[in-house]
Amino acid sequence: MNLSSFITTLVRDGQVTVDTAVHAFSPDDLAATRSILLNYYQHDLIDMPGEAPAFDNDTALWAAGFIYRAAQLIRSRPSGNNGIEQWLPKHAGATGPEAIYSADLCLRYLPDLLSIAKKLAPADPLVQRLTETAAQWPFSSTGMNIYPAAPVTAITEHPSLLQAYTDRIIASKDTGRCNDPVVMTAVKASLGSYADLLWPGFHDSFRD
């Protein structure tokens, strides 16, 4: 299965199939994937609060390739652990709101992949690589009990991202993410008088 088909199936069905052979994506496949990701972004905007960040084509494509390769390396490791750095490179571009949201279109599936990888081999270097990525992209990793690798200013300073991030924190009851004062304020505002219903034990968790 090529990258464009992989992303289509992932978004539509939540299930994927990958090739066992690891090879470079063709130019035609990358072009088709870019088009699919843009369409995915346009549909996803409906569920974002307020005005979402603009689409970052390159970051979205990087994240799509990362998730595809991670799924491949979970299934098969033809090059051994040396293939992890080669096929799962870190994102070298910008990390502003546009990159955060565009990467999330695919990185939101990272928790599922990390869970599978941990069950298969907890000490696998692949688990470490996926954990590092989750820490580097906190918008996509709420509920994983992984702290952000850097301040989440790019999220908290963007109203749409902050509200979506807050909603995810509440849904996953991620107490660790509330250590950021801005995030805590947003969580409290969103919970309002319904904290006991939406997050039972919330006030006890943060009692002085």
Side-chain angles (χ1 to χ4, degrees):
M1 176 176 285
N2 58 22
L3 181 60
S4 55
S5 298
F6 171 87
I7 296 301
T8 298
T9 305
L10 177 65
V11 174
R12 184 187 62 204
D13 303 328
Q15 298 180 351
V16 296
T17 301
V18 293
D19 291 336
T20 54
V22 181
H23 51 73
F25 302 121
S26 72
D28 287 346
D29 188 23
L30 291 175
T33 303
R34 288 178 186 271
S35 178
I36 291 168
L37 289 168
L38 176 57
N39 183 264
Y40 178 18
Y41 163 82
Q42 292 169 337
H43 281 81
D44 197 74
L45 287 175
I46 299 172
D47 296 323
M48 284 292 288
E51 185 174 349
F55 183 62
D56 181 335
N57 196 318
D58 291 338
T59 303
L61 188 62
W62 165 81
F66 186 96
I67 292 298
Y68 181 94
R69 295 304 187 195
Q72 278 191 310
L73 294 176
I74 287 172
R75 180 181 178 185
S76 176
R77 199 74 55 80
S79 302
N81 292 331
N82 293 331
I84 293 175
E85 288 299 323
Q86 177 184 359
W87 296 110
L88 295 178
K90 295 180 181 180
H91 179 56
T95 56
E98 293 79 11
I100 290 169
Y101 180 44
S102 299
D104 179 66
L105 295 172
C106 290
L107 291 188
R108 63 185 60 176
Y109 297 99
L110 183 60
D112 293 331
L113 288 177
L114 181 55
S115 177
I116 294 170
K118 281 184 175 180
K119 289 178 181 177
L120 292 175
D124 191 335
L126 177 61
V127 171
Q128 179 61 31
R129 183 72 188 92
L130 296 180
T131 300
E132 291 172 354
T133 303
Q136 291 161 359
W137 298 90
F139 185 72
S140 304
S141 60
T142 55
M144 296 177 69
N145 196 29
I146 296 173
Y147 292 133
V152 293
T153 309
I155 296 174
T156 58
E157 291 184 349
H158 193 285
S160 179
L161 288 184
L162 175 57
Q163 186 58 60
Y165 187 57
T166 299
D167 292 343
R168 293 181 181 192
I169 289 170
I170 293 173
S172 62
K173 299 177 176 55
D174 193 335
T175 56
R177 300 299 178 93
C178 294
N179 290 333
D180 184 294
V182 178
V183 172
M184 174 60 99
T185 298
V187 168
K188 287 181 176 179
S190 290
L191 289 173
S193 59
Y194 296 97
D196 291 339
L197 176 63
L198 298 175
W199 193 336
F202 173 80
H203 293 298
D204 292 335
S205 297
F206 299 99
R207 194 180 301 279
D208 293 334

